[in-house]
Amino acid sequence: MNEIISPKMETVNNMRNRHDSLADLTSRDMEDFMEEMGGEISVPVLNGDWDALPANVRKYIAENVRLCRPKGVFICDGSDEEAEEITEKMVNRGLLTKLDKYENCYLCRTDPADVARVEGRTFIVTKEKFETVPHVQEGVKGILGQWMSPEDAEREMVQDRFPGCMKGRVMYVIPFSMGPVGGALSKVGVQLTDFNYVVLSMRIMTRVSSKIWDVLGENGEFVQCIHSIGAPRPLQRKVINHWPCNPERIMITHFPDQRKIMSYGSGYGGNSLLGKKCFALRIASRIAKDEGWLAEHMLILGVTNPQGEEKFIAAAFPSACGKTNLAMLTPSLPGWKVRCLGDDIAWMRFDDEGRLRAINPEAGFFGVAPGTNKKTNPVAMETCMKNTIFTNVGMTADGGVFWEGMEKEIEREQKITTWLGDQWKVGDKGKAAHPNSRFCCPASQCPIIHDKWEDPAGVPIDAIVFGGRRPEGVPLVFEAFDWEHGVMLGAALKSEATAAAEFKGKQIMHDPMAMRPFMGYNFGDYLQHWSDLNKPERQMPKIFHVNWFRLNDNGKFVWPGFGDNIRVLDWICRRVNGEDIAVPSAIGQLPVEGSLNLKGLNVSWEENFSLPKKYWVEDIEETKSFLQAQVGCDLPLTISDEVAKQEERIRLM
Ligand code: OXD
Ligand code: MN
């Protein structure tokens, strides 16, 4: 580790380089210098080279040091040595437990009050309220984002929560790239955090490297990501599981105009790994609107048919609906191959040839553990058996992991320690893992990672797929009539609630474009932006809707899902190729009976593809009221036209 250097000393050294002697300095020079450095800072730099940082980054750090008052600054370089040193410290403190069964894997248990994204405390800050949220109907509570005024944000964050929030702690400076370092579609962020768990996780989920400073150059643009667990020393709140946090005061604010994020009180990934939801979706969706591209909650996969022809698909499903499983699908049909490019976020831009090209801005998977097993997702199971941080899963007596869904994969009667630290075995009451427990592992070690997953130019998207958990009425697959109809289908997306956020129970919730929790600006403008992308000179991807979760009258799934979803991808690819295997219906193009390969399956066509009129009459009515209530006058005409056309088709069913 470098010797301790004070940035103040460094300032003087820089001044010496620029002036022959200190005596030459006027007080004006001195003021300019302090301005450039963001004022006076006097905490030690515990690691890294302060002088190597671009001036605007030094200023940003200095301002936040003054605000947060850490005891020192640690500039990360993303190296293995750095990670090893931090890991060792965390193991000694009890925050991480080494999992002896695997290579370089650790278990972390959070404070049980800090286990999920907190949507109710997540805000977008803009001067104008309606830049952030649509005009909702009077008396209706908007669900498409929460707005906060700059004055309130200043009071809540800058005046109330952040002053002194890192006292007695180290401020880590994490330079990272979303997307390949230096890539044309990539963007840079610099996260400041007082939590070492965040440093280790950001190393996995993003590209953390000192090379970022070169990419930035002297005054390059970066997204400011400021995070604190809100637990300054001396502690005001009992620390549970060595996981300091401040759940009562959690607040996550985004400043799209300033390209800035401030997150306080939580260490849980979705609230603290600011490259992910906060930057790559909320801030990036706004940058994307300004720059004419898309930042979406979508997996990216390549699917190759037995003839060797490959198609690229981007698919948007709400949280915890199986995006990771689809992205890593093991086909049940012979000769097919799926390769993964990303499981959660896609940044997409039309290229000069008019093709929509996608990159995965992330470098790792932060997957939901429960339900993942050798049958549902053998690839994910293999991917997370090394270099992984598990959070809130159970631990077996032999130093392995366990979560609900792995019952057949451990020895019977294995002793397990639950995520809450209790002794437990399969069959006992309660759960071993929290429903939102996670594995965090590098994408590069996924056995089916696509060789183009880090191609800075991205891959050309042939099809966009929307989907959700829809127990009733919604067919296995159907195709939008055209781009506008597809955008309407995305806007009408619904799914059962999941454990990824704070909601309870199984209610069906609207999650338009799977972006409800991640919208960075007015959803009406967002839909308009999607509509505007449609240009005759572009090769617009076809849009589809899928549902793996329909139940029959006995409450059983009518579709086997998982590896058999390749049959649906097969149908989608054939449609992309223009095969005549679809019939128009009231809600879109349905597969012609028999055109979906069901060989070897015992499933009913009727149960998978029927369109109960009563259900769809209610559905379109409900969708219409939802859009009227939630998007109001901001709803683009093209979308309300599509809704009206769909309503008329359903009426005529
Ligand atoms: C996630 C989520 O963690 O969508 O990916 O909540
Ligand atoms: Mn997600």
Side-chain angles (χ1 to χ4, degrees):
M1 192 177 278
N2 283 11
E3 66 184 292
I4 292 176
I5 334 160
S6 146
K8 209 165 157 190
M9 281 284 302
E10 286 300 287
T11 308
V12 173
N13 287 340
N14 284 340
M15 290 157 91
R16 273 190 214 279
N17 295 340
R18 283 216 212 150
H19 298 269
D20 290 342
S21 85
L22 279 178
D24 292 344
L25 286 171
T26 63
S27 63
R28 189 58 219 246
D29 287 332
M30 183 64 99
E31 269 171 32
D32 285 348
F33 236 103
M34 284 315 190
E35 177 64 30
E36 184 185 325
M37 297 298 294
E40 195 165 338
I41 48 170
S42 54
V43 295
V45 174
L46 305 170
N47 189 66
D49 182 359
W50 174 262
D51 221 19
L53 307 184
N56 56 345
V57 174
R58 291 199 304 260
K59 183 164 186 275
Y60 157 64
I61 299 170
E63 277 165 11
N64 284 291
V65 163
R66 278 212 306 279
L67 179 65
C68 305
R69 297 268 161 233
K71 66 179 182 194
V73 168
F74 186 111
I75 303 164
C76 299
D77 59 19
S79 65
D80 288 347
E81 297 71 45
E82 180 176 282
E84 279 157 23
E85 191 183 308
I86 294 173
T87 304
E88 195 186 310
K89 212 181 272 169
M90 290 168 70
V91 171
N92 291 340
R93 295 242 171 99
L95 178 51
L96 289 185
T97 305
K98 176 137 184 39
L99 291 163
D100 289 330
K101 206 166 162 184
Y102 320 115
E103 187 189 327
N104 194 30
C105 287
Y106 295 87
L107 169 67
C108 181
R109 293 197 196 109
T110 71
D111 182 320
D114 191 20
V115 291
R117 285 186 290 102
V118 188
E119 292 179 11
R121 313 291 295 160
T122 301
F123 299 90
I124 309 285
V125 183
T126 48
K127 254 208 214 123
E128 236 302 304
K129 176 173 176 184
F130 299 111
E131 273 176 50
T132 292
V133 288
H135 291 80
V136 295
Q137 230 165 38
E138 221 176 293
V140 167
K141 177 163 172 17
I143 65 157
L144 298 170
Q146 298 199 100
W147 174 74
M148 188 182 272
S149 71
E151 296 73 31
D152 286 353
E154 167 78 17
R155 200 188 53 248
E156 293 287 351
M157 303 305 262
V158 181
Q159 287 169 20
D160 189 10
R161 284 173 175 74
F162 273 83
C165 65
M166 295 188 185
K167 268 192 195 151
R169 297 192 182 275
V170 172
M171 174 191 276
Y172 295 91
V173 177
I174 310 173
F176 65 98
S177 175
M178 299 311 290
V181 177
L185 307 182
S186 304
K187 300 273 176 206
V188 164
V190 180
Q191 175 153 352
L192 310 179
T193 181
D194 52 6
F195 201 17
N196 39 21
Y197 168 87
V198 169
V199 178
L200 292 188
S201 308
M202 283 291 285
R203 268 190 93 242
I204 297 173
M205 295 307 298
T206 73
R207 286 131 177 123
V208 176
S209 159
S210 306
K211 286 193 207 126
I212 301 300
W213 308 130
D214 304 331
V215 171
L216 278 180
E218 230 354 69
N219 270 310
E221 271 182 27
F222 62 93
V223 174
Q224 301 185 12
C225 304
I226 307 146
H227 167 254
S228 171
I229 45 179
R233 294 195 166 100
L235 290 163
Q236 303 286 307
R237 186 181 181 277
K238 192 166 169 260
V239 174
I240 302 173
N241 286 341
H242 310 280
W243 177 276
C245 58
N246 197 342
E248 293 78 26
R249 310 211 70 216
I250 289 175
M251 191 166 279
I252 302 137
T253 49
H254 305 71
F255 303 77
D257 293 319
Q258 290 85 359
R259 313 294 198 224
K260 176 166 136 181
I261 302 155
M262 294 183 89
S263 169
Y264 180 93
S266 168
Y268 169 77
N271 306 321
S272 69
L273 312 182
L274 300 189
K276 193 173 180 61
K277 303 299 186 182
C278 299
F279 176 171
L281 288 175
R282 298 194 190 98
I283 294 289
S285 64
R286 170 55 200 283
I287 300 178
K289 176 182 160 255
D290 295 349
E291 296 179 357
W293 51 280
L294 293 168
E296 299 300 328
H297 192 203
M298 291 181 179
L299 65 88
I300 312 168
L301 62 80
V303 53
T304 309
N305 69 12
Q307 292 72 48
E309 190 191 352
E310 184 167 47
K311 300 264 183 273
F312 290 101
I313 295 177
F317 296 12
S319 304
C321 279
K323 282 209 300 297
T324 306
N325 291 346
L326 182 59
M328 298 179 189
L329 179 139
T330 305
S332 66
L333 294 178
W336 284 82
K337 192 155 82 182
V338 166
R339 284 181 297 166
C340 172
L341 291 105
D343 79 329
D344 197 41
I345 300 176
W347 285 0
M348 305 189 286
R349 199 188 281 250
F350 282 95
D351 65 14
D352 294 342
E353 271 89 59
R355 297 227 51 191
L356 186 61
R357 302 195 76 95
I359 63 161
N360 170 12
E362 301 193 276
F365 305 122
F366 184 63
V368 177
T372 311
N373 60 43
K374 288 187 180 148
K375 184 162 169 281
T376 59
N377 194 340
V379 175
M381 291 304 277
E382 200 181 324
T383 308
C384 69
M385 289 296 117
K386 58 181 182 194
N387 307 320
T388 299
I389 301 173
F390 295 92
T391 302
N392 287 339
V393 303
M395 185 171 90
T396 56
D398 60 349
V401 290
F402 178 83
W403 49 74
E404 280 54 42
M406 282 180 73
E407 292 77 1
K408 295 204 180 117
E409 290 168 27
I410 59 159
E411 284 162 38
R412 281 169 65 94
E413 299 296 309
Q414 263 263 24
K415 286 204 181 96
I416 289 165
T417 309
T418 70
W419 74 282
L420 290 167
D422 299 327
Q423 289 311 300
W424 190 89
K425 60 183 174 0
V426 174
D428 285 358
K429 270 215 334 248
K431 287 191 190 313
H434 185 274
N436 192 33
S437 53
R438 301 281 176 143
F439 54 82
C440 177
C441 54
S444 57
Q445 65 192 35
C446 172
I448 61 157
I449 199 75
H450 200 288
D451 50 11
K452 291 209 172 109
W453 87 281
E454 295 199 279
D455 186 339
V459 293
I461 296 298
D462 299 291
I464 290 176
V465 178
F466 293 114
R469 288 178 187 266
R470 301 291 292 273
E472 218 193 315
V474 180
L476 178 62
V477 58
F478 59 100
E479 179 189 324
F481 293 117
D482 52 26
W483 182 261
E484 293 301 349
H485 182 232
V487 178
M488 186 280 275
L489 293 179
L493 206 63
K494 303 179 214 184
S495 190
E496 268 177 0
T498 72
E502 69 266 38
F503 305 107
K504 304 269 176 297
K506 288 216 150 194
Q507 79 258 36
I508 302 276
M509 291 173 65
H510 278 273
D511 193 344
M513 308 302 248
M515 281 290 279
R516 181 190 48 75
F518 311 120
M519 276 306 307
Y521 62 99
N522 182 318
F523 185 66
D525 296 342
Y526 167 95
L527 291 175
Q528 189 63 57
H529 178 54
W530 264 76
S531 284
D532 292 344
L533 291 173
N534 186 13
K535 299 219 160 68
E537 67 274 18
R538 288 178 171 167
Q539 211 172 308
M540 303 309 290
K542 276 181 173 291
I543 300 182
F544 297 83
H545 188 289
V546 299
N547 176 27
W548 323 133
F549 301 96
R550 194 165 178 178
L551 301 175
N552 64 15
D553 296 342
N554 303 322
K556 295 256 179 311
F557 287 114
V558 300
W559 180 248
F562 304 111
D564 283 312
N565 292 337
I566 190 68
R567 299 165 190 267
V568 175
L569 298 188
D570 168 23
W571 189 82
I572 289 174
C573 291
R574 283 154 63 206
R575 283 300 294 158
V576 170
N577 281 346
E579 269 190 53
D580 186 12
I581 47 173
V583 283
S585 79
I587 62 165
Q589 306 268 15
L590 278 176
V592 167
E593 186 154 358
S595 67
L596 199 114
N597 178 353
L598 298 185
K599 236 181 266 156
L601 291 185
N602 184 17
V603 300
S604 145
W605 189 272
E606 171 67 15
E607 282 184 342
N608 275 287
F609 289 103
S610 64
L611 291 184
K613 177 159 179 172
K614 183 168 174 299
Y615 177 85
W616 282 99
V617 168
E618 283 166 16
D619 181 87
I620 193 71
E621 197 46 50
E622 196 276 334
T623 296
K624 210 166 65 177
S625 344
F626 166 77
L627 292 174
Q628 264 161 16
Q630 290 289 336
V631 198
C633 61
D634 296 308
L635 190 68
L637 270 179
T638 46
I639 305 297
S640 42
D641 274 1
E642 288 300 328
V643 173
K645 285 196 264 176
Q646 180 119 329
E647 188 178 21
E648 180 59 7
R649 285 191 301 265
I650 289 170
R651 195 180 65 77
L652 297 173
M653 258 167 93

